[in-house]
Amino acid sequence: MTIAPSQSTGSEAWSDTRLLYALEEVVETEINRHLTAAKEWMPHEYVPWSQGRDFDGVMGGEAWAPEQSKVTEIGRISLVVNLLTEDNLPSYHHEIATLFGRDGAWGTWVHRWTAEEGRHAIVMRDYLLTTRAVDPVELERLRMRHMSEGFESDNAHSMLHSVAYVAFQELATRISHRNTGRESGDPVCERMLARIATDENLHMVFYRNLLAAALQMAPDQAMPAIRDVVVGFRMPGHGMPGFERSAARIAIGGIYNLRIHHDDVLQPVLRHLKVLETSGLGPEGLKAQEELGFFMGELDSQARKFEERRDALLARRAARA
Ligand SMILES: [Fe+2]
Ligand SMILES: [Fe+2]
């Protein structure tokens, strides 16, 4: 297959179907690279089963109580958000299978990605229940509510928007898992989340390389898609019960906030793809690139303001203590 030259005039727009076909060869290359890089791992090995015991109810064991949890409060909040996010996998699968299809290289990726993501909820739930880190009844009720709502992609209208979104989202998820582990206060939890974060990083690389190819093929369509996704970015778990409140605690707790989003998620992908330095764009691409540059500057100053307010809050708390 030959990749068509860059469309710098914007006169010939790529349809989603044409792009899907044109990118199929890249998907195949990326799957092969991914399969070579991805190491098999066993979720059961990351769970301290010896700490487990029966719960109340059917087994007549001991009911959960907050003092049984060995993870920090911020760790508990973030673990629940991260697990509920992973739990909605059936909806994510539906969204990407609808968009990317279930045939050929795209289909192979959709199914492989889904299988890998399935491990994340398995290992996290096993860890949380075995160590009694969170209230199992509340966790199950939240899962039911969250999954009953489902997940609808903000980007289902466009294949390019979807690829751009997942490139940033997989990195956001990686950073969120990694920082949750660091703040959890339990080395076993940190090791488990670091293993998941390694998977998320490979997912990010897959989509980032795909986005790089799309930028080459259709720069004047890819650039506006990247702008739209960066400007309107929302975490996949945004619809879960109590998300805003949890997100505020997670931000103050240093797990995920505007500074981290700007420095550790958006900037690395934009820099790697040289998005703001790409030349030879047509009017639409150039406009999007300028707006993206402006937005990143604004986000940086918002992040600075957030840090100032957070530092002041933490100083007041320290003074009270
Ligand atoms: Fe995941
Ligand atoms: Fe992932």
Side-chain angles (χ1 to χ4, degrees), residues 172-189:
T173 309
R174 173 204 180 190
I175 298 294
S176 176
H177 282 311
R178 192 195 65 189
N179 292 350
T180 301
R182 192 192 60 211
E183 298 297 327
S184 70
D186 179 7
V188 176
C189 179

Side-chain angles (χ1 to χ4, degrees), residues 84 86-91 125 141-151 241:
L84 293 179
E86 298 282 358
D87 272 337
N88 238 351
L89 182 58
S91 274
R125 177 164 283 98
R141 286 182 180 150
L142 285 171
R143 186 189 68 79
M144 285 298 294
R145 278 176 64 193
H146 184 46
M147 288 188 74
S148 300
E149 289 293 318
F151 168 86

Side-chain angles (χ1 to χ4, degrees), residues 113 117 120 169-170 173 199-200 203:
W113 174 87
E117 290 291 351
H120 301 168
Q169 173 268 316
E170 291 283 2
T173 309
D199 280 5
E200 309 295 18
H203 297 162

Side-chain angles (χ1 to χ4, degrees), residues 31-189:
I31 289 171
N32 290 331
R33 188 199 48 73
H34 177 83
L35 293 177
T36 309
K39 292 193 175 61
E40 186 188 39
W41 63 279
M42 297 294 153
H44 69 270
E45 292 178 9
Y46 288 80
V47 179
W49 298 104
S50 63
Q51 294 178 26
R53 59 189 192 278
D54 294 349
F55 283 103
D56 56 334
V58 179
M59 301 299 289
E62 192 189 351
W64 184 83
E67 59 273 15
Q68 294 164 357
S69 176
K70 280 187 260 170
V71 295
T72 57
E73 192 193 0
I74 187 66
R76 281 206 296 278
I77 294 167
S78 195
L79 278 159
V80 169
V81 168
N82 291 7
L83 176 53
L84 293 179
T85 302
E86 298 282 358
D87 272 337
N88 238 351
L89 182 58
S91 274
Y92 309 143
H93 173 83
H94 176 268
E95 293 294 279
I96 68 165
T98 304
L99 201 68
F100 298 155
R102 293 187 296 172
D103 305 315
W106 279 105
T108 305
W109 171 253
V110 166
H111 290 121
R112 169 74 194 203
W113 174 87
T114 304
E116 289 187 12
E117 290 291 351
R119 269 190 191 140
H120 301 168
I122 290 170
V123 72
M124 286 179 77
R125 177 164 283 98
D126 286 347
Y127 164 82
L128 290 176
L129 297 183
T130 303
T131 63
R132 295 186 173 235
V134 298
D135 181 347
V137 176
E138 192 193 354
L139 181 67
E140 178 60 6
R141 286 182 180 150
L142 285 171
R143 186 189 68 79
M144 285 298 294
R145 278 176 64 193
H146 184 46
M147 288 188 74
S148 300
E149 289 293 318
F151 168 86
E152 218 177 305
S153 167
D154 292 335
N155 303 293
H157 61 287
S158 153
M159 184 259 182
L160 266 178
H161 283 73
S162 299
V163 170
Y165 176 75
V166 285
F168 294 108
Q169 173 268 316
E170 291 283 2
L171 184 52
T173 309
R174 173 204 180 190
I175 298 294
S176 176
H177 282 311
R178 192 195 65 189
N179 292 350
T180 301
R182 192 192 60 211
E183 298 297 327
S184 70
D186 179 7
V188 176
C189 179

